[in-house]
Amino acid sequence: MEWRWLRLPPSVGSNWHLMAVRGSILGRKQEDAIAALLTQRNVEEAARAAGIGVRTLLRWLKLPEFQSAYRQARRDAFGQAIARLQQGTSAAATTLLKVMIDPGAPASVRVRAADSVLNHATKAIEIEEIEARVAALEQAASGKPTR
């Protein structure tokens, strides 16, 4: 897979977007259409933004190579959104803890914050346990001695 900078059509905006394409199997208009599908509200608006007809875009959406590239672009966009959310987890935790100990906050809000803190802490411990078990299983399967 190669990474290519893709210029969106003027109707979409003047931002450059990073888009993964598999061996450049798609043409420029198809790449523009995928970028537009990711940024517009519906197929009609995406087609207009990419400078193609709606029927053309609907036909492309049926092509396996276009579907594959579109799915990959959606996964990439989703991954970037998740990364942005993860960057905010420290502030979110601080907010929860502040609300939880704020004597001026209603009791129901403080209880909900405390419950949220406990639930997230429990999930974190469960994930750590699962990761440790998986690592032990992988190590046993590979035949390497455990430390």
Side-chain angles (χ1 to χ4, degrees), residues 50-95:
I52 59 172
V54 174
R55 287 181 24 193
T56 299
L57 182 52
L58 290 173
R59 189 175 68 252
W60 287 350
L61 283 165
K62 294 177 184 175
L63 300 173
E65 61 273 7
F66 188 87
Q67 290 174 353
S68 176
Y70 181 38
R71 273 194 307 275
Q72 182 62 47
R74 287 191 343 231
R75 280 192 296 270
D76 293 344
F78 183 75
Q80 290 173 359
I82 294 301
R84 289 189 63 211
L85 290 174
Q86 287 173 334
Q87 291 173 349
T89 57
S90 179
T94 299
T95 300

mmCIF file of all heavy atoms in Angstrom, residues 50-95:
data_model
loop_
_atom_site.group_PDB
_atom_site.id
_atom_site.type_symbol
_atom_site.label_atom_id
_atom_site.label_comp_id
_atom_site.label_asym_id
_atom_site.label_seq_id
_atom_site.Cartn_x
_atom_site.Cartn_y
_atom_site.Cartn_z
ATOM 1 N N ALA A 50 -17.071 15.704 -6.131
ATOM 2 C CA ALA A 50 -16.001 15.060 -6.892
ATOM 3 C C ALA A 50 -16.061 15.404 -8.380
ATOM 4 O O ALA A 50 -15.160 15.041 -9.130
ATOM 5 C CB ALA A 50 -16.090 13.545 -6.719
ATOM 6 N N GLY A 51 -17.116 16.087 -8.782
ATOM 7 C CA GLY A 51 -17.239 16.484 -10.181
ATOM 8 C C GLY A 51 -17.627 15.346 -11.116
ATOM 9 O O GLY A 51 -17.210 15.302 -12.270
ATOM 10 N N ILE A 52 -18.424 14.422 -10.584
ATOM 11 C CA ILE A 52 -18.892 13.292 -11.397
ATOM 12 C C ILE A 52 -20.397 13.162 -11.240
ATOM 13 O O ILE A 52 -21.000 13.766 -10.351
ATOM 14 C CB ILE A 52 -18.205 11.965 -10.976
ATOM 15 C CG1 ILE A 52 -18.482 11.664 -9.503
ATOM 16 C CG2 ILE A 52 -16.723 12.011 -11.269
ATOM 17 C CD1 ILE A 52 -18.024 10.300 -9.055
ATOM 18 N N GLY A 53 -20.994 12.332 -12.070
ATOM 19 C CA GLY A 53 -22.426 12.096 -11.986
ATOM 20 C C GLY A 53 -22.764 11.112 -10.872
ATOM 21 O O GLY A 53 -21.947 10.267 -10.503
ATOM 22 N N VAL A 54 -23.977 11.224 -10.377
ATOM 23 C CA VAL A 54 -24.432 10.333 -9.308
ATOM 24 C C VAL A 54 -24.429 8.885 -9.802
ATOM 25 O O VAL A 54 -23.988 7.980 -9.079
ATOM 26 C CB VAL A 54 -25.842 10.740 -8.816
ATOM 27 C CG1 VAL A 54 -26.384 9.729 -7.823
ATOM 28 C CG2 VAL A 54 -25.801 12.126 -8.184
ATOM 29 N N ARG A 55 -24.909 8.648 -11.020
ATOM 30 C CA ARG A 55 -24.939 7.282 -11.554
ATOM 31 C C ARG A 55 -23.539 6.706 -11.674
ATOM 32 O O ARG A 55 -23.325 5.514 -11.414
ATOM 33 C CB ARG A 55 -25.667 7.248 -12.890
ATOM 34 C CG ARG A 55 -27.165 7.420 -12.702
ATOM 35 C CD ARG A 55 -27.990 7.392 -13.941
ATOM 36 N NE ARG A 55 -27.411 6.702 -15.080
ATOM 37 C CZ ARG A 55 -27.871 6.793 -16.309
ATOM 38 N NH1 ARG A 55 -28.918 7.552 -16.563
ATOM 39 N NH2 ARG A 55 -27.305 6.132 -17.291
ATOM 40 N N THR A 56 -22.570 7.538 -12.029
ATOM 41 C CA THR A 56 -21.181 7.075 -12.107
ATOM 42 C C THR A 56 -20.692 6.640 -10.737
ATOM 43 O O THR A 56 -20.103 5.566 -10.588
ATOM 44 C CB THR A 56 -20.265 8.187 -12.669
ATOM 45 O OG1 THR A 56 -20.702 8.516 -13.983
ATOM 46 C CG2 THR A 56 -18.808 7.756 -12.691
ATOM 47 N N LEU A 57 -20.954 7.452 -9.734
ATOM 48 C CA LEU A 57 -20.515 7.112 -8.378
ATOM 49 C C LEU A 57 -21.214 5.844 -7.892
ATOM 50 O O LEU A 57 -20.573 4.976 -7.282
ATOM 51 C CB LEU A 57 -20.764 8.275 -7.418
ATOM 52 C CG LEU A 57 -20.296 8.070 -5.977
ATOM 53 C CD1 LEU A 57 -18.829 7.622 -5.911
ATOM 54 C CD2 LEU A 57 -20.490 9.352 -5.180
ATOM 55 N N LEU A 58 -22.490 5.721 -8.138
ATOM 56 C CA LEU A 58 -23.215 4.506 -7.735
ATOM 57 C C LEU A 58 -22.644 3.277 -8.442
ATOM 58 O O LEU A 58 -22.531 2.200 -7.843
ATOM 59 C CB LEU A 58 -24.709 4.651 -8.029
ATOM 60 C CG LEU A 58 -25.443 5.661 -7.142
ATOM 61 C CD1 LEU A 58 -26.880 5.856 -7.629
ATOM 62 C CD2 LEU A 58 -25.429 5.218 -5.684
ATOM 63 N N ARG A 59 -22.262 3.422 -9.721
ATOM 64 C CA ARG A 59 -21.644 2.315 -10.450
ATOM 65 C C ARG A 59 -20.289 1.969 -9.835
ATOM 66 O O ARG A 59 -19.964 0.797 -9.643
ATOM 67 C CB ARG A 59 -21.508 2.682 -11.930
ATOM 68 C CG ARG A 59 -21.073 1.509 -12.804
ATOM 69 C CD ARG A 59 -21.055 1.836 -14.295
ATOM 70 N NE ARG A 59 -20.017 2.796 -14.629
ATOM 71 C CZ ARG A 59 -20.224 4.066 -14.966
ATOM 72 N NH1 ARG A 59 -21.436 4.562 -15.030
ATOM 73 N NH2 ARG A 59 -19.207 4.866 -15.259
ATOM 74 N N TRP A 60 -19.486 2.984 -9.515
ATOM 75 C CA TRP A 60 -18.182 2.740 -8.895
ATOM 76 C C TRP A 60 -18.329 2.046 -7.551
ATOM 77 O O TRP A 60 -17.506 1.208 -7.181
ATOM 78 C CB TRP A 60 -17.420 4.046 -8.716
ATOM 79 C CG TRP A 60 -16.880 4.633 -9.985
ATOM 80 C CD1 TRP A 60 -16.839 4.048 -11.219
ATOM 81 C CD2 TRP A 60 -16.309 5.923 -10.131
ATOM 82 N NE1 TRP A 60 -16.272 4.904 -12.131
ATOM 83 C CE2 TRP A 60 -15.935 6.071 -11.492
ATOM 84 C CE3 TRP A 60 -16.080 6.981 -9.271
ATOM 85 C CZ2 TRP A 60 -15.330 7.222 -11.997
ATOM 86 C CZ3 TRP A 60 -15.481 8.135 -9.762
ATOM 87 C CH2 TRP A 60 -15.110 8.244 -11.115
ATOM 88 N N LEU A 61 -19.371 2.403 -6.807
ATOM 89 C CA LEU A 61 -19.584 1.794 -5.489
ATOM 90 C C LEU A 61 -19.851 0.292 -5.574
ATOM 91 O O LEU A 61 -19.767 -0.412 -4.564
ATOM 92 C CB LEU A 61 -20.732 2.493 -4.753
ATOM 93 C CG LEU A 61 -20.378 3.841 -4.137
ATOM 94 C CD1 LEU A 61 -21.631 4.616 -3.753
ATOM 95 C CD2 LEU A 61 -19.479 3.643 -2.922
ATOM 96 N N LYS A 62 -20.149 -0.200 -6.753
ATOM 97 C CA LYS A 62 -20.373 -1.636 -6.955
ATOM 98 C C LYS A 62 -19.101 -2.375 -7.348
ATOM 99 O O LYS A 62 -19.074 -3.602 -7.339
ATOM 100 C CB LYS A 62 -21.446 -1.856 -8.023
ATOM 101 C CG LYS A 62 -22.813 -1.364 -7.594
ATOM 102 C CD LYS A 62 -23.827 -1.531 -8.707
ATOM 103 C CE LYS A 62 -25.165 -0.940 -8.283
ATOM 104 N NZ LYS A 62 -26.145 -0.967 -9.382
ATOM 105 N N LEU A 63 -18.045 -1.641 -7.698
ATOM 106 C CA LEU A 63 -16.787 -2.266 -8.115
ATOM 107 C C LEU A 63 -15.996 -2.742 -6.900
ATOM 108 O O LEU A 63 -15.760 -1.974 -5.964
ATOM 109 C CB LEU A 63 -15.931 -1.269 -8.906
ATOM 110 C CG LEU A 63 -16.533 -0.705 -10.189
ATOM 111 C CD1 LEU A 63 -15.631 0.382 -10.763
ATOM 112 C CD2 LEU A 63 -16.751 -1.830 -11.192
ATOM 113 N N PRO A 64 -15.554 -4.008 -6.900
ATOM 114 C CA PRO A 64 -14.820 -4.545 -5.746
ATOM 115 C C PRO A 64 -13.587 -3.724 -5.365
ATOM 116 O O PRO A 64 -13.337 -3.482 -4.185
ATOM 117 C CB PRO A 64 -14.425 -5.957 -6.190
ATOM 118 C CG PRO A 64 -15.404 -6.308 -7.252
ATOM 119 C CD PRO A 64 -15.766 -5.019 -7.932
ATOM 120 N N GLU A 65 -12.808 -3.262 -6.358
ATOM 121 C CA GLU A 65 -11.589 -2.505 -6.023
ATOM 122 C C GLU A 65 -11.941 -1.136 -5.431
ATOM 123 O O GLU A 65 -11.244 -0.638 -4.543
ATOM 124 C CB GLU A 65 -10.661 -2.360 -7.236
ATOM 125 C CG GLU A 65 -11.240 -1.629 -8.423
ATOM 126 C CD GLU A 65 -12.034 -2.498 -9.401
ATOM 127 O OE1 GLU A 65 -12.272 -3.687 -9.110
ATOM 128 O OE2 GLU A 65 -12.403 -1.975 -10.455
ATOM 129 N N PHE A 66 -13.034 -0.536 -5.889
ATOM 130 C CA PHE A 66 -13.477 0.743 -5.332
ATOM 131 C C PHE A 66 -14.005 0.527 -3.911
ATOM 132 O O PHE A 66 -13.678 1.287 -3.003
ATOM 133 C CB PHE A 66 -14.562 1.365 -6.222
ATOM 134 C CG PHE A 66 -14.933 2.775 -5.824
ATOM 135 C CD1 PHE A 66 -14.219 3.857 -6.309
ATOM 136 C CD2 PHE A 66 -15.998 3.021 -4.970
ATOM 137 C CE1 PHE A 66 -14.545 5.163 -5.944
ATOM 138 C CE2 PHE A 66 -16.340 4.317 -4.596
ATOM 139 C CZ PHE A 66 -15.608 5.386 -5.088
ATOM 140 N N GLN A 67 -14.802 -0.529 -3.735
ATOM 141 C CA GLN A 67 -15.323 -0.849 -2.403
ATOM 142 C C GLN A 67 -14.192 -1.084 -1.414
ATOM 143 O O GLN A 67 -14.233 -0.609 -0.280
ATOM 144 C CB GLN A 67 -16.211 -2.096 -2.459
ATOM 145 C CG GLN A 67 -17.517 -1.914 -3.162
ATOM 146 C CD GLN A 67 -18.273 -3.223 -3.311
ATOM 147 O OE1 GLN A 67 -17.767 -4.298 -2.995
ATOM 148 N NE2 GLN A 67 -19.499 -3.132 -3.820
ATOM 149 N N SER A 68 -13.185 -1.811 -1.852
ATOM 150 C CA SER A 68 -12.040 -2.106 -0.984
ATOM 151 C C SER A 68 -11.305 -0.823 -0.584
ATOM 152 O O SER A 68 -10.981 -0.621 0.597
ATOM 153 C CB SER A 68 -11.090 -3.060 -1.699
ATOM 154 O OG SER A 68 -9.946 -3.291 -0.929
ATOM 155 N N ALA A 69 -11.043 0.039 -1.548
ATOM 156 C CA ALA A 69 -10.348 1.299 -1.255
ATOM 157 C C ALA A 69 -11.206 2.200 -0.364
ATOM 158 O O ALA A 69 -10.681 2.856 0.541
ATOM 159 C CB ALA A 69 -9.996 2.018 -2.558
ATOM 160 N N TYR A 70 -12.508 2.204 -0.603
ATOM 161 C CA TYR A 70 -13.422 3.014 0.211
ATOM 162 C C TYR A 70 -13.457 2.501 1.654
ATOM 163 O O TYR A 70 -13.386 3.270 2.607
ATOM 164 C CB TYR A 70 -14.813 3.010 -0.420
ATOM 165 C CG TYR A 70 -15.861 3.830 0.296
ATOM 166 C CD1 TYR A 70 -15.564 5.045 0.887
ATOM 167 C CD2 TYR A 70 -17.174 3.376 0.357
ATOM 168 C CE1 TYR A 70 -16.536 5.794 1.531
ATOM 169 C CE2 TYR A 70 -18.154 4.118 1.005
ATOM 170 C CZ TYR A 70 -17.831 5.324 1.584
ATOM 171 O OH TYR A 70 -18.809 6.049 2.231
ATOM 172 N N ARG A 71 -13.539 1.166 1.819
ATOM 173 C CA ARG A 71 -13.520 0.586 3.169
ATOM 174 C C ARG A 71 -12.225 0.934 3.889
ATOM 175 O O ARG A 71 -12.226 1.295 5.067
ATOM 176 C CB ARG A 71 -13.680 -0.936 3.099
ATOM 177 C CG ARG A 71 -15.109 -1.410 3.074
ATOM 178 C CD ARG A 71 -15.210 -2.910 3.338
ATOM 179 N NE ARG A 71 -14.363 -3.712 2.470
ATOM 180 C CZ ARG A 71 -14.702 -4.128 1.253
ATOM 181 N NH1 ARG A 71 -15.869 -3.824 0.759
ATOM 182 N NH2 ARG A 71 -13.869 -4.858 0.543
ATOM 183 N N GLN A 72 -11.095 0.837 3.173
ATOM 184 C CA GLN A 72 -9.806 1.160 3.790
ATOM 185 C C GLN A 72 -9.753 2.629 4.195
ATOM 186 O O GLN A 72 -9.274 2.967 5.277
ATOM 187 C CB GLN A 72 -8.648 0.821 2.851
ATOM 188 C CG GLN A 72 -7.277 1.077 3.454
ATOM 189 C CD GLN A 72 -7.018 0.234 4.687
ATOM 190 O OE1 GLN A 72 -7.266 -0.963 4.674
ATOM 191 N NE2 GLN A 72 -6.520 0.845 5.744
ATOM 192 N N ALA A 73 -10.252 3.497 3.336
ATOM 193 C CA ALA A 73 -10.269 4.933 3.660
ATOM 194 C C ALA A 73 -11.143 5.201 4.870
ATOM 195 O O ALA A 73 -10.797 6.022 5.729
ATOM 196 C CB ALA A 73 -10.762 5.730 2.448
ATOM 197 N N ARG A 74 -12.281 4.511 4.968
ATOM 198 C CA ARG A 74 -13.152 4.682 6.142
ATOM 199 C C ARG A 74 -12.469 4.178 7.401
ATOM 200 O O ARG A 74 -12.549 4.811 8.458
ATOM 201 C CB ARG A 74 -14.484 3.950 5.924
ATOM 202 C CG ARG A 74 -15.376 4.664 4.937
ATOM 203 C CD ARG A 74 -16.799 4.153 4.874
ATOM 204 N NE ARG A 74 -17.052 2.864 5.441
ATOM 205 C CZ ARG A 74 -17.687 1.872 4.814
ATOM 206 N NH1 ARG A 74 -18.123 2.035 3.581
ATOM 207 N NH2 ARG A 74 -17.895 0.721 5.404
ATOM 208 N N ARG A 75 -11.776 3.039 7.303
ATOM 209 C CA ARG A 75 -11.042 2.521 8.472
ATOM 210 C C ARG A 75 -9.959 3.507 8.902
ATOM 211 O O ARG A 75 -9.765 3.752 10.092
ATOM 212 C CB ARG A 75 -10.429 1.161 8.156
ATOM 213 C CG ARG A 75 -11.406 0.014 8.237
ATOM 214 C CD ARG A 75 -10.688 -1.334 8.200
ATOM 215 N NE ARG A 75 -9.993 -1.558 6.954
ATOM 216 C CZ ARG A 75 -10.517 -2.143 5.886
ATOM 217 N NH1 ARG A 75 -11.745 -2.586 5.912
ATOM 218 N NH2 ARG A 75 -9.797 -2.309 4.788
ATOM 219 N N ASP A 76 -9.249 4.062 7.922
ATOM 220 C CA ASP A 76 -8.199 5.036 8.232
ATOM 221 C C ASP A 76 -8.783 6.272 8.915
ATOM 222 O O ASP A 76 -8.239 6.767 9.907
ATOM 223 C CB ASP A 76 -7.437 5.446 6.975
ATOM 224 C CG ASP A 76 -6.619 4.312 6.382
ATOM 225 O OD1 ASP A 76 -6.382 3.305 7.084
ATOM 226 O OD2 ASP A 76 -6.225 4.431 5.213
ATOM 227 N N ALA A 77 -9.894 6.774 8.388
ATOM 228 C CA ALA A 77 -10.536 7.956 8.975
ATOM 229 C C ALA A 77 -11.028 7.646 10.383
ATOM 230 O O ALA A 77 -10.870 8.458 11.304
ATOM 231 C CB ALA A 77 -11.696 8.421 8.096
ATOM 232 N N PHE A 78 -11.593 6.466 10.575
ATOM 233 C CA PHE A 78 -12.077 6.069 11.893
ATOM 234 C C PHE A 78 -10.903 5.951 12.873
ATOM 235 O O PHE A 78 -10.990 6.396 14.018
ATOM 236 C CB PHE A 78 -12.841 4.743 11.803
ATOM 237 C CG PHE A 78 -13.434 4.308 13.107
ATOM 238 C CD1 PHE A 78 -14.568 4.926 13.609
ATOM 239 C CD2 PHE A 78 -12.861 3.285 13.842
ATOM 240 C CE1 PHE A 78 -15.123 4.532 14.809
ATOM 241 C CE2 PHE A 78 -13.405 2.883 15.044
ATOM 242 C CZ PHE A 78 -14.542 3.505 15.537
ATOM 243 N N GLY A 79 -9.807 5.373 12.413
ATOM 244 C CA GLY A 79 -8.622 5.243 13.264
ATOM 245 C C GLY A 79 -8.099 6.598 13.713
ATOM 246 O O GLY A 79 -7.681 6.775 14.866
ATOM 247 N N GLN A 80 -8.131 7.577 12.802
ATOM 248 C CA GLN A 80 -7.685 8.922 13.168
ATOM 249 C C GLN A 80 -8.632 9.543 14.190
ATOM 250 O O GLN A 80 -8.201 10.239 15.110
ATOM 251 C CB GLN A 80 -7.587 9.792 11.916
ATOM 252 C CG GLN A 80 -6.445 9.391 11.011
ATOM 253 C CD GLN A 80 -6.456 10.155 9.692
ATOM 254 O OE1 GLN A 80 -7.312 10.972 9.432
ATOM 255 N NE2 GLN A 80 -5.481 9.860 8.848
ATOM 256 N N ALA A 81 -9.927 9.295 14.045
ATOM 257 C CA ALA A 81 -10.900 9.829 15.000
ATOM 258 C C ALA A 81 -10.693 9.203 16.378
ATOM 259 O O ALA A 81 -10.735 9.906 17.400
ATOM 260 C CB ALA A 81 -12.325 9.569 14.508
ATOM 261 N N ILE A 82 -10.444 7.904 16.415
ATOM 262 C CA ILE A 82 -10.197 7.221 17.690
ATOM 263 C C ILE A 82 -8.925 7.767 18.340
ATOM 264 O O ILE A 82 -8.881 7.991 19.555
ATOM 265 C CB ILE A 82 -10.102 5.694 17.488
ATOM 266 C CG1 ILE A 82 -11.444 5.128 17.045
ATOM 267 C CG2 ILE A 82 -9.602 4.992 18.745
ATOM 268 C CD1 ILE A 82 -12.589 5.370 17.999
ATOM 269 N N ALA A 83 -7.901 8.007 17.557
ATOM 270 C CA ALA A 83 -6.656 8.563 18.098
ATOM 271 C C ALA A 83 -6.911 9.931 18.726
ATOM 272 O O ALA A 83 -6.365 10.244 19.790
ATOM 273 C CB ALA A 83 -5.591 8.660 17.007
ATOM 274 N N ARG A 84 -7.754 10.744 18.081
ATOM 275 C CA ARG A 84 -8.086 12.059 18.651
ATOM 276 C C ARG A 84 -8.823 11.898 19.971
ATOM 277 O O ARG A 84 -8.577 12.644 20.931
ATOM 278 C CB ARG A 84 -8.938 12.860 17.668
ATOM 279 C CG ARG A 84 -8.149 13.323 16.456
ATOM 280 C CD ARG A 84 -8.916 14.293 15.607
ATOM 281 N NE ARG A 84 -9.205 15.497 16.368
ATOM 282 C CZ ARG A 84 -10.296 16.241 16.179
ATOM 283 N NH1 ARG A 84 -11.181 15.914 15.270
ATOM 284 N NH2 ARG A 84 -10.495 17.323 16.885
ATOM 285 N N LEU A 85 -9.735 10.942 20.045
ATOM 286 C CA LEU A 85 -10.450 10.701 21.300
ATOM 287 C C LEU A 85 -9.498 10.230 22.397
ATOM 288 O O LEU A 85 -9.612 10.651 23.550
ATOM 289 C CB LEU A 85 -11.563 9.665 21.098
ATOM 290 C CG LEU A 85 -12.757 10.113 20.277
ATOM 291 C CD1 LEU A 85 -13.696 8.942 20.030
ATOM 292 C CD2 LEU A 85 -13.488 11.265 20.960
ATOM 293 N N GLN A 86 -8.558 9.363 22.028
ATOM 294 C CA GLN A 86 -7.601 8.866 23.010
ATOM 295 C C GLN A 86 -6.742 9.999 23.571
ATOM 296 O O GLN A 86 -6.355 9.963 24.728
ATOM 297 C CB GLN A 86 -6.725 7.778 22.394
ATOM 298 C CG GLN A 86 -7.474 6.478 22.190
ATOM 299 C CD GLN A 86 -6.677 5.455 21.428
ATOM 300 O OE1 GLN A 86 -5.793 5.789 20.639
ATOM 301 N NE2 GLN A 86 -6.993 4.186 21.637
ATOM 302 N N GLN A 87 -6.472 11.009 22.755
ATOM 303 C CA GLN A 87 -5.691 12.146 23.244
ATOM 304 C C GLN A 87 -6.447 12.905 24.333
ATOM 305 O O GLN A 87 -5.839 13.570 25.155
ATOM 306 C CB GLN A 87 -5.351 13.085 22.092
ATOM 307 C CG GLN A 87 -4.354 12.499 21.114
ATOM 308 C CD GLN A 87 -4.171 13.377 19.889
ATOM 309 O OE1 GLN A 87 -4.915 14.324 19.659
ATOM 310 N NE2 GLN A 87 -3.177 13.054 19.082
ATOM 311 N N GLY A 88 -7.764 12.811 24.324
ATOM 312 C CA GLY A 88 -8.567 13.529 25.310
ATOM 313 C C GLY A 88 -8.873 12.742 26.566
ATOM 314 O O GLY A 88 -9.558 13.244 27.462
ATOM 315 N N THR A 89 -8.348 11.520 26.681
ATOM 316 C CA THR A 89 -8.705 10.692 27.833
ATOM 317 C C THR A 89 -8.176 11.257 29.152
ATOM 318 O O THR A 89 -8.838 11.129 30.177
ATOM 319 C CB THR A 89 -8.220 9.244 27.658
ATOM 320 O OG1 THR A 89 -6.809 9.231 27.441
ATOM 321 C CG2 THR A 89 -8.941 8.563 26.512
ATOM 322 N N SER A 90 -7.027 11.872 29.129
ATOM 323 C CA SER A 90 -6.485 12.446 30.368
ATOM 324 C C SER A 90 -7.388 13.562 30.880
ATOM 325 O O SER A 90 -7.723 13.619 32.070
ATOM 326 C CB SER A 90 -5.069 12.966 30.134
ATOM 327 O OG SER A 90 -4.559 13.525 31.319
ATOM 328 N N ALA A 91 -7.811 14.441 29.986
ATOM 329 C CA ALA A 91 -8.719 15.525 30.377
ATOM 330 C C ALA A 91 -10.057 14.972 30.832
ATOM 331 O O ALA A 91 -10.660 15.470 31.797
ATOM 332 C CB ALA A 91 -8.910 16.497 29.214
ATOM 333 N N ALA A 92 -10.527 13.912 30.170
ATOM 334 C CA ALA A 92 -11.799 13.298 30.564
ATOM 335 C C ALA A 92 -11.705 12.701 31.961
ATOM 336 O O ALA A 92 -12.619 12.867 32.787
ATOM 337 C CB ALA A 92 -12.209 12.233 29.556
ATOM 338 N N ALA A 93 -10.596 12.031 32.247
ATOM 339 C CA ALA A 93 -10.405 11.446 33.578
ATOM 340 C C ALA A 93 -10.337 12.540 34.641
ATOM 341 O O ALA A 93 -10.939 12.421 35.716
ATOM 342 C CB ALA A 93 -9.134 10.600 33.601
ATOM 343 N N THR A 94 -9.631 13.615 34.338
ATOM 344 C CA THR A 94 -9.540 14.742 35.274
ATOM 345 C C THR A 94 -10.920 15.322 35.544
ATOM 346 O O THR A 94 -11.282 15.606 36.700
ATOM 347 C CB THR A 94 -8.599 15.824 34.714
ATOM 348 O OG1 THR A 94 -7.301 15.254 34.545
ATOM 349 C CG2 THR A 94 -8.512 17.028 35.634
ATOM 350 N N THR A 95 -11.713 15.483 34.500
ATOM 351 C CA THR A 95 -13.063 16.028 34.644
ATOM 352 C C THR A 95 -13.918 15.115 35.513
ATOM 353 O O THR A 95 -14.616 15.594 36.424
ATOM 354 C CB THR A 95 -13.726 16.217 33.267
ATOM 355 O OG1 THR A 95 -12.925 17.120 32.498
ATOM 356 C CG2 THR A 95 -15.132 16.761 33.396
#
